[in-house]
Amino acid sequence: MLARSPSPLWRVSCRTYRQLAAVQRLPHTVTAFYSSSASSSPWDGMDAQKAINAGWDNGRVVRLTPRDCILYALGIGAEAQTDLKYTYERCKDFTVFPSLPTIWSFCGSLLERVVYDQSMPLDMISQPYTTPIVGFPKINTYNFLDAERFIELYQPIKPDGIFRVTSRHVNIIDKRVGCIVETEHIVTTSDNLVIDLESDPKSFYSPGDPRVCLPPEEAPALPGKDPHQMDEKVVARILTGCFVKGLSGFDSAGTATGLLGVKHPFPERPPDYCMEQKTSFTQPALYRLGSGDYNPLHIDNDIAARGGLAKPIMHGLCTLGFACRHVLSLSAGNEPTKCKALKARFAAPVPPGSTLVTEVWESSDNPVSKGASRRVYFSTRIKESNKVVINHAFMEFTS
């Protein structure tokens, strides 16, 4: 097994580390997302059942252009010359890298404004702020930890189109030192979808980057429709798992998806494939442009310091993108249409400039995604420290 030593980036007591690691069943990541400055006391106003009963939100309309696809690919380490199908819009095979829809997985979530809203004052990020998410109290960014992702692809994502991301909370579990929140997102598309800020200015505003249209901060949460019953094509399903430190003292509600919080250890044998790639010190700056994830934690030294970090860290979804590129290349001939599903758990932060090593194991386990015929497991670590940063992970492919 690979060595897994606690990260020096985190400032957290051994007692807290053991508590959270045991509660969440996650190595390291739950120990202290900004823990040195985050309050550990329960928050008032949490109603998990109300959050679950709220059902689907009214959706977020998102825009995708070839430029976005190219910047995203470069942000996750694609090479300009050798990966032309992802980096050159005139390439006859130009396509979207399959992990790209994960950039929309903060839609309808507790971190939605921090990630997508460039107009949000920096001072607000370091203090509790009101979220339009039903059932949740004011949220402190420093208490939020992104933990897991699952994505299932039903249709190829077009590099130039408009999509709707409709979300709902499906499971909220009080773990005494915090809570686990599982959110489901359905991505749909239709020729009738448009982004028209002028026709309905009270419902949407542009946060500086018109790719994601959010409801105004003061707007009440509006109920939505089941995306499966809309006259729109479902192209992807995303599950997001997060841990909110200190949010406790309430009755749990919802039903587990059975896909998040499940361990998938890699086989006890040498990997079948291995690939390594050095990240750039400017990787977070490039990734934020391609993904639209403007969380200042990943670029602003002051914001990182307020959270107890020595310096900004890479986006977890950026690290995941690197790993997915490695797996797709090693196990599926770099053919994106073969990818049907992806599941991963974030195990530790990655400092920019680190060398990522991804190890892959072929498996005979049955896939869970529709149309997939095989599953491979993978794990990603930092070469310089041997620290595992992504684990309990798999991708599923067609033959």
Side-chain angles (χ1 to χ4, degrees):
M1 298 290 287
L2 298 173
R4 303 182 184 185
S5 57
S7 169
L9 288 176
W10 302 128
R11 303 172 184 174
V12 62
S13 69
C14 293
R15 180 174 181 271
T16 302
Y17 172 79
R18 288 193 298 269
Q19 276 185 317
L20 291 176
V23 168
Q24 175 70 343
R25 296 181 297 167
L26 289 174
H28 312 314
T29 48
V30 296
T31 57
F33 186 68
Y34 313 122
S35 63
S36 64
S37 58
S39 169
S40 60
S41 61
W43 297 343
D44 294 329
M46 178 64 194
D47 189 335
Q49 191 61 61
K50 184 176 181 180
I52 296 297
N53 291 345
W56 297 104
D57 64 18
N58 62 332
R60 308 291 186 259
V61 180
V62 299
R63 175 186 295 161
L64 192 63
T65 69
R67 182 177 183 274
D68 301 326
C69 300
I70 293 169
L71 282 173
Y72 173 78
L74 294 173
I76 61 171
E79 300 290 341
Q81 295 301 315
T82 57
D83 292 314
L84 286 178
K85 68 170 68 177
Y86 308 123
T87 62
Y88 181 41
E89 73 284 357
R90 295 191 178 187
C91 177
K92 63 182 180 63
D93 298 322
F94 181 65
T95 188
V96 176
F97 193 80
S99 63
L100 181 142
T102 60
I103 69 176
W104 302 322
S105 58
F106 291 108
C107 288
S109 78
L110 303 179
L111 269 194
E112 180 176 67
R113 306 195 71 82
V114 175
V115 169
Y116 302 122
D117 184 359
Q118 290 177 291
S119 69
M120 187 176 187
L122 288 178
D123 287 344
M124 186 180 293
I125 293 175
S126 59
Q127 59 185 319
Y129 67 94
T130 302
T131 169
I133 308 302
V134 173
F136 286 87
K138 288 187 175 182
I139 297 300
N140 190 327
T141 307
Y142 292 160
N143 293 73
F144 185 97
L145 171 75
D146 198 7
E148 286 189 89
R149 283 297 185 283
F150 172 82
I151 178 171
E152 185 171 7
L153 299 170
Y154 304 116
Q155 303 284 339
I157 302 293
K158 294 181 179 180
D160 190 359
I162 297 176
F163 305 85
R164 188 194 312 274
V165 182
T166 309
S167 309
R168 65 174 177 176
H169 296 299
V170 294
N171 198 30
I172 304 172
I173 309 170
D174 186 350
K175 291 293 187 176
R176 295 181 297 173
V177 293
C179 71
I180 298 170
V181 180
E182 296 183 4
T183 308
E184 180 180 17
H185 317 268
I186 300 296
V187 183
T188 58
T189 190
S190 167
D191 292 337
N192 297 323
L193 269 178
V194 296
I195 292 182
D196 188 354
L197 300 174
E198 294 182 358
S199 66
D200 193 4
K202 293 183 179 180
S203 295
F204 294 107
Y205 78 104
S206 174
D209 184 336
R211 283 176 292 179
V212 178
C213 290
L214 305 177
E217 181 179 359
E218 68 279 2
L222 300 176
K225 299 179 180 179
D226 185 335
H228 299 92
Q229 298 177 1
M230 296 180 185
D231 189 21
E232 298 174 4
K233 182 187 299 183
V234 177
V235 296
R237 178 193 185 210
I238 306 170
L239 298 176
T240 298
C242 74
F243 185 83
V244 187
K245 184 177 182 291
L247 183 53
S248 61
F250 60 86
D251 293 330
S252 302
T255 304
T257 63
L259 292 167
L260 300 180
V262 179
K263 293 184 177 181
H264 296 284
F266 50 76
E268 295 288 343
R269 69 170 195 269
D272 297 303
Y273 316 107
C274 181
M275 179 180 289
E276 70 176 61
Q277 183 178 6
K278 186 172 180 59
T279 64
S280 167
F281 287 101
T282 59
Q283 206 73 54
L286 181 58
Y287 178 81
R288 69 195 298 270
L289 295 179
S291 66
D293 184 341
Y294 295 107
N295 188 338
L297 162 74
H298 304 290
I299 196 169
D300 190 314
N301 287 313
D302 181 56
I303 293 295
R306 292 184 199 179
L309 296 172
K311 58 183 179 181
I313 57 175
M314 282 178 52
H315 300 70
L317 292 178
C318 177
T319 302
L320 180 59
F322 269 84
C324 291
R325 284 186 45 257
H326 298 168
V327 177
L328 189 69
S329 177
L330 292 169
S331 189
N334 199 27
E335 179 48 63
T337 59
K338 290 185 176 182
C339 181
K340 293 299 180 183
L342 157 70
K343 190 266 181 182
R345 181 180 291 184
F346 304 116
V350 177
S354 301
T355 302
L356 296 176
V357 180
T358 301
E359 296 174 316
V360 183
W361 291 262
E362 296 286 353
S363 168
S364 59
D365 292 351
N366 293 326
V368 296
S369 55
K370 183 178 180 180
S373 58
R374 61 190 182 91
R375 174 188 290 185
V376 300
Y377 293 101
F378 69 94
S379 176
T380 301
R381 59 185 170 88
I382 299 173
K383 182 178 182 179
E384 290 80 1
S385 64
N386 207 37
K387 181 182 300 298
V388 174
V389 295
I390 290 179
N391 60 10
H392 299 290
F394 64 76
M395 290 182 72
E396 295 182 347
F397 303 106
T398 59
S399 299

